Amino acid sequence: MAIQMNIAITALLLLFTSIPIVECTDIDVVANFGAVADGQTDLSQPLMNAWKEACASAEPVNIVIPEGTYFLSEATLNGPCQAPISLQLQGTLMAPEDPTVFKEATWVSISYVDSLTMFGGGVFDGQGATAWGQNDCAKNKNCVKLPINIRFHGVKNSLIQDITTKDSKQFHVNVLGCSNITFQSFTVSAPDESLNTDGIHIGRSDGVYILDSKIETGDDCISLGDGSNNVKVQGVTCGPGHGISIGSLGKYENEEPISGVFVTQCTLANTMNGVRIKTWPASQPGSATDIHFEDITMDNVGNPIVVDQEYCPWNQCDLSVPSRVQLSKLSFKNIRGTSKTQIAVKLICSSGLPCDEVELADIDLTYNGPEGPAISQCSNVNPVLSGVQNPAACSSQPTEEAAP
């Protein structure tokens, strides 16, 4: 079964990550539009002028940002464009340090572009350190939204390769309403103390591929919101961070289903959680199905495997009412390594809609703390078991005190 799934994933990746190589004209923001790499002169207008010319061209155009450090106040790069367009970022773009200068919660926005290629080894530096202490959105509904480093909205058939996003003030990358977009050899760099800085957040998109990438941040390395379909994560190293998460789901009305998520051949090191699915109690109705985690290495990970349908941070919910998000066709296979908490496996499903078709295969997770060996907790789920089960599957009853 594992071999068959890997073959299927490989075939899909080859299909969707094949970006045709086309001849294109280079335009240089320095040579052609007067940009200055002094870390102070605003790149915004030269970049916008270059984008406008490239987007209007009937032939493919490559916008080049040469090596050097550029101050960029903001950039809104909209399509549709007449032909494929690429952005060759070789330098470092520096955001304003003061978060109050942003009119919108976005630094760089790319919208409604078909056949975008972004490459070049460059860096988007959000200079977020001064803003992280101002981020209280997790518990304050009236908080001021801090800017996201890069937003992709309505982008399709595109490749983001060999690019780094650093120290974003909020999420590093937001992918919304996109289709067939690939992140390859992509780097997210931020310290553990950077609040609410999800590496790549995906929502209402179909065909998102995150391959051979490294994500270090202060929140989820990868997070999937509602409407995330046909998502493939392969060869990703995560940590520090909060792990790879689906959800939280069910908080809002009219959330779209999640289906077809494959996370394989990844390593999580020193993260708060490992692979996680979370839904709110007393939730709006929803569903997440056909979700698979396979060949995952856990290195000193808190809560390596988590399904939590009683997700309730800051006591913002009613735990007495079960979640109405149906989880089904979930698999956790060949997941091994070390847990830094005793609860290595936690499957807490909804008492109103128990998890359906859950599989645990070849789980080998150890814990060496003072409480004793690792344990596995289950509620409202009857998983199908095969291969190694360490800890013994569903051998412990969940308690409120033990919940992560």
Side-chain angles (χ1 to χ4, degrees), residues 21 42 46 48 52 55 60 121 127 131 148 186 199 229 233 284 294 322 334 336-337 361:
I21 298 173
D42 194 352
M48 291 293 293
K52 183 177 180 180
C55 195
Q127 298 207 88
I148 290 171
F186 189 77
N229 296 300
V233 178
Q284 298 294 326
E294 183 169 349
N334 193 23
R336 66 277 180 190

Side-chain angles (χ1 to χ4, degrees), residues 29-219:
V29 295
V30 174
N32 300 110
F33 292 94
V36 180
D38 60 2
Q40 297 178 348
T41 304
D42 194 352
L43 177 65
S44 182
Q45 197 59 55
L47 178 58
M48 291 293 293
N49 290 341
W51 180 268
K52 183 177 180 180
E53 180 177 310
C55 195
S57 172
E59 301 295 331
V61 173
N62 177 43
I63 300 170
V64 180
I65 303 177
E67 292 183 1
T69 300
Y70 302 82
F71 172 73
L72 176 65
S73 59
E74 63 177 356
T76 302
L77 309 177
N78 291 336
C81 298
Q82 297 299 310
I85 190 168
S86 59
L87 180 62
Q88 184 176 356
L89 175 61
Q90 298 172 323
T92 296
L93 306 183
M94 304 287 288
E97 193 170 358
D98 182 0
T100 65
V101 305
F102 290 88
K103 297 178 182 178
E104 304 290 338
T106 304
W107 178 32
V108 176
S109 173
I110 302 175
S111 302
Y112 305 113
V113 179
D114 189 351
S115 301
L116 166 73
T117 303
M118 185 186 294
F119 68 107
V123 178
F124 291 85
D125 187 346
Q127 298 207 88
T130 59
W132 298 327
Q134 303 175 38
N135 192 334
D136 63 348
C137 292
K139 51 186 177 180
N140 178 9
K141 296 180 180 179
N142 299 314
C143 67
V144 176
K145 298 293 186 181
L146 296 171
I148 290 171
N149 261 12
I150 316 171
R151 287 184 187 265
F152 296 95
H153 185 202
V155 174
K156 58 184 180 180
N157 304 318
S158 296
L159 173 64
I160 317 302
Q161 184 176 46
D162 193 24
I163 291 293
T164 294
T165 168
K166 178 183 177 183
D167 292 347
S168 182
K169 294 177 176 65
Q170 203 205 141
F171 291 4
H172 284 263
V173 173
N174 191 65
V175 179
L176 179 64
C178 296
S179 62
N180 190 21
I181 181 170
T182 298
F183 297 84
Q184 188 165 27
S185 301
F186 189 77
T187 300
V188 175
S189 176
D192 194 24
E193 64 268 21
S194 58
L195 299 177
N196 201 31
T197 54
D198 290 30
I200 300 176
H201 178 74
I202 302 164
R204 304 203 174 193
S205 297
D206 192 334
V208 180
Y209 310 94
I210 305 171
L211 314 175
D212 304 322
S213 297
K214 183 176 182 180
I215 301 177
E216 301 175 338
T217 193
D219 210 295

